[in-house]
Amino acid sequence: MLDANPVINQPLDHPLLEEKGIELSIKRLDWVHEFVPGNKFYKLFFNLLQAKQEKKNTLLTFGGAYSNHIHAVAHAAHLLGFHSIGIIRGEETLPLNPTLAAAKAQGMELHYISRSQYREKTTPEFLENLKTLFGDFYLIPEGGTNREAIQGTEKILEEEDAIYSHICVSIGTGGTFVGILKSASPHQEIVGLSSLKGNFIHREIETLLEKFETEPKTHFSISTEYHFGGYANYQQPLIDFIWWFFETFGIVLDPIYTGKMIFGIWDLIKKNHFPRGSKILAIHTGGLQGNEGFTFQTGIKLPPLSR
Ligand SMILES: *Cc1c(COP(=O)(O)O)cnc(C)c1O
């Protein structure tokens, strides 16, 4: 199986934190694995075990052309000796962007479908078609959120993390947020920061909590204010913040998830949202493979990934 590197909580030192009486540490999941970093390591771990147990040879999953999930599945499959198939939303464009080029280099078979077909991808007919095309496979849903994924994201928080009063995490599909809710200590407050535009995420999280029989023991809240226009959008203040954060703390963020989350936390600290004496742990969920793709797509430079 995939082996995890030890994960550290890195405390930040800054006059604003001192002024507001706040401790802020970053949980560096971006270091948990060289090729399958971030929350995707946790979301895939038990899926990979399950696929092995079911004696599957092939993993099949879905994603957009810049998806961290596609990238992670391709690398995990290669390391563990699975064949992998990525069903990609939209048309093939050449040259391949860095995400898809890396996935292909790991042996992932890329299969493109239209956006309208993509919306049908969870119907029984569509899955039957895939079986006819590709034979037997282990299916990992888009974004990777299923029961096994939650089982994995429940392992992100460790016992020592009970010292924190607040845990902050970015939300895409919400699988990571729900795993953290399940494993948090009752005195902790869990703050999810949605990277997507819109209020639908509240309903979405309710659905996940029901589906995975979760009755949170902790307080939680979801902020929908720091999406910066939604998934594939960016705005200059966010890019400037990512550079400032890198130059100040030496930590690289991505513009889709972690950049928005930390921007949001920093803003909430400025606005006195967190009481004096709060100890905040922000989860760095990785996603840095996407930075190269972001630059490829927009021409906008982001901090270098080598450390
Ligand atoms: C996929 C991803 C997320 C979103 O995780 P969900 O479990 O879908 O909410 C957050 N951050 C990064 C860096 C990701 O790659």
Side-chain angles (χ1 to χ4, degrees):
M1 271 311 291
L2 300 180
D3 288 321
N5 295 322
V7 170
I8 62 150
N9 296 339
Q10 181 177 346
L12 304 187
D13 198 2
H14 190 273
L16 177 73
L17 300 174
E18 221 158 280
E19 178 201 326
K20 303 286 184 184
I22 302 268
E23 285 179 32
L24 173 61
S25 296
I26 311 289
K27 194 173 199 61
R28 301 294 304 270
L29 301 189
D30 52 326
W31 286 349
V32 71
H33 193 279
E34 185 177 358
F35 302 110
V36 191
N39 63 340
K40 302 303 184 277
F41 178 90
Y42 298 85
K43 295 186 80 171
L44 290 176
F45 191 89
F46 290 101
N47 277 293
L48 298 164
L49 264 186
Q50 185 64 26
K52 284 267 183 226
Q53 265 161 23
E54 292 178 19
K55 305 221 178 322
K56 304 281 188 180
N57 298 315
T58 300
L59 306 177
L60 181 142
T61 196
F62 306 93
Y66 292 90
S67 160
N68 294 330
H69 170 69
I70 287 287
H71 189 268
V73 171
H75 281 78
H78 180 74
L79 287 169
L80 298 176
F82 291 105
H83 177 56
S84 67
I85 299 167
I87 309 291
I88 310 299
R89 181 181 62 228
E91 278 170 27
E92 180 177 32
T93 52
L94 294 173
L96 290 179
N97 74 48
T99 301
L100 294 182
K104 194 170 177 193
Q106 299 308 309
M108 182 176 260
E109 193 180 328
L110 301 174
H111 182 78
Y112 298 85
I113 62 176
S114 69
R115 280 163 195 276
S116 59
Q117 276 178 307
Y118 197 82
R119 281 191 288 273
E120 304 296 316
K121 69 184 178 302
T122 52
T123 63
E125 297 77 18
F126 190 83
L127 292 175
E128 267 319 303
N129 269 336
L130 290 176
K131 294 244 148 134
T132 315
L133 271 175
F134 299 113
D136 191 32
F137 52 76
Y138 182 88
L139 179 82
I140 306 177
E142 182 188 32
T145 292
N146 59 7
R147 192 165 294 276
E148 286 75 14
I150 307 275
Q151 202 185 341
T153 56
E154 275 181 61
K155 305 265 187 278
I156 290 175
L157 289 183
E158 300 163 279
E159 242 169 76
E160 310 85 85
D161 297 334
I163 60 167
Y164 297 97
S165 58
H166 295 75
I167 312 288
C168 299
V169 67
S170 170
I171 298 182
T173 63
T176 307
F177 182 68
V178 169
I180 285 175
L181 273 185
K182 282 187 104 135
S183 56
S185 304
H187 66 87
Q188 295 179 314
E189 166 139 4
I190 314 305
V191 182
L193 295 105
S194 178
S195 60
L196 301 169
K197 192 172 173 174
N199 279 321
F200 73 96
I201 193 67
H202 294 282
R203 184 72 222 121
E204 197 79 7
I205 295 293
E206 288 302 323
T207 308
L208 286 181
L209 291 177
E210 277 163 37
K211 189 166 167 194
F212 299 113
E213 296 115 25
T214 309
E215 282 176 38
K217 308 180 287 293
T218 62
H219 280 285
F220 71 92
S221 62
I222 299 170
S223 155
T224 54
E225 274 159 44
Y226 301 102
H227 58 72
F228 287 93
Y231 187 69
N233 280 298
Y234 69 93
Q235 287 168 11
Q236 197 56 41
L238 177 62
I239 306 299
D240 294 344
F241 179 83
I242 289 173
W243 274 104
W244 171 80
F245 197 79
F246 172 69
E247 277 152 13
T248 309
F249 302 113
I251 300 175
V252 182
L253 305 171
D254 79 289
I256 314 293
Y257 297 106
T258 57
K260 294 174 183 175
M261 172 194 62
I262 306 269
F263 184 105
I265 295 170
W266 206 257
D267 193 50
L268 290 170
I269 291 173
K270 279 190 194 156
K271 293 175 173 160
N272 302 315
H273 170 85
F274 298 104
R276 189 164 279 280
S278 295
K279 288 171 177 265
I280 306 171
L281 181 66
I283 313 290
H284 192 315
T285 42
L288 300 179
Q289 73 82 25
N291 285 17
E292 212 188 324
F294 182 82
T295 300
F296 175 90
Q297 200 177 16
T298 62
I300 293 172
K301 256 191 85 190
L302 290 169
L305 296 187
S306 56
R307 33 181 137 89

